[in-house]
Amino acid sequence: MLAKVLSSAVIGIDAYLVEVEVDIVSGLPTFTTVGLPETSVKESKERVKSAINNSGFTFPDDRITVNLAPADIKKEGTGFDLPIALGILTANRIISQKLISKYLVLGELSLDGRIKPVRGSLPMALAAKNAGYTGIIVPYENGREASVVDKILVLPVKTLSQLVNFFRGFSQIDPLKTNVSEVFQKDT
């Protein structure tokens, strides 16, 4: 089964979209990441596997291929952990592809399924808005930064299981909004 999750990365101060494709087929258990991943992206397989298992889901014992497109740009950082995990859960039909395709997703996973902050959530929120996505899913600690972008839903999440429960309709995540004019007002 093939699943696609939209994510983003930053070059300088600008964000660009990254499509995380996950294909799971029967065969000897392997996990391969392609699309010019650097070391921390390649290491995501261990974080993703532990986070999925420790969040109460089953990591598949099949051949898993993750493609980070566009393939001609080097991918750095740990922000692809969450999109890869969601891609695996979507390919296993735990999450609906239709629902996940509305959001840009970013976040690093800890081994116990907690979602850790990443750099660049503001330009990534702008990229999601400009690409016409409904919203952006960010680590809880990145919520305030991303929420300064107007006219896009910012869903801050703390754990992988919380996000999966949201996509399965078992719980809600309240969008975070920041009134930018209030932030810059001075008390007199």
Side-chain angles (χ1 to χ4, degrees):
M1 173 79 183
L2 176 67
K4 296 180 183 182
V5 179
L6 185 74
S7 191
S8 184
V10 176
I11 296 178
I13 60 168
D14 295 320
Y16 64 95
L17 300 180
V18 176
E19 187 175 67
V20 178
E21 298 175 306
V22 177
D23 188 36
I24 301 177
V25 295
S26 296
L28 291 174
T30 60
F31 191 114
T32 307
T33 305
V34 297
L36 286 180
E38 59 105 38
T39 303
S40 63
V41 178
K42 289 179 185 178
E43 291 173 348
S44 70
K45 70 181 177 182
E46 299 304 328
R47 292 186 299 273
V48 167
K49 182 177 182 177
S50 291
I52 287 174
N53 287 329
N54 290 324
S55 296
F57 305 102
T58 303
F59 190 83
D61 288 329
D62 293 309
R63 181 179 174 83
I64 301 170
T65 304
V66 176
N67 180 41
L68 304 173
D72 62 340
I73 300 173
K74 189 171 184 171
K75 314 306 180 302
E76 297 178 345
T78 55
F80 296 111
D81 291 1
L82 185 57
I84 291 170
L86 292 176
I88 290 169
L89 295 171
T90 302
N92 276 342
R93 295 189 172 105
I94 293 171
I95 299 171
S96 161
Q97 178 67 63
K98 183 177 179 181
L99 291 176
I100 197 99
S101 65
K102 297 176 181 180
Y103 298 94
L104 185 140
V105 181
L106 54 121
E108 177 183 341
L109 286 170
S110 66
L111 299 181
D112 64 1
R114 286 178 295 119
I115 301 172
K116 296 181 172 185
V118 295
R119 292 181 298 137
S121 62
L122 175 60
M124 291 180 199
L126 285 168
K129 176 185 173 183
N130 293 338
Y133 283 84
T134 301
I136 182 169
I137 296 168
V138 299
Y140 187 82
E141 290 85 357
N142 291 116
R144 185 67 58 200
E145 177 185 346
S147 70
V148 300
V149 178
D150 193 28
K151 297 181 182 172
I152 189 162
L153 289 175
V154 176
L155 302 179
V157 291
K158 293 182 180 181
T159 66
L160 178 60
S161 59
Q162 175 195 18
L163 186 53
V164 172
N165 285 335
F166 166 75
F167 280 120
R168 294 176 80 188
F170 299 148
S171 67
Q172 290 293 322
I173 300 172
D174 294 325
L176 185 61
K177 296 181 182 180
T178 298
N179 186 333
V180 178
S181 61
E182 285 181 12
V183 172
F184 291 108
Q185 282 182 346
K186 293 184 178 182
D187 292 336
T188 54

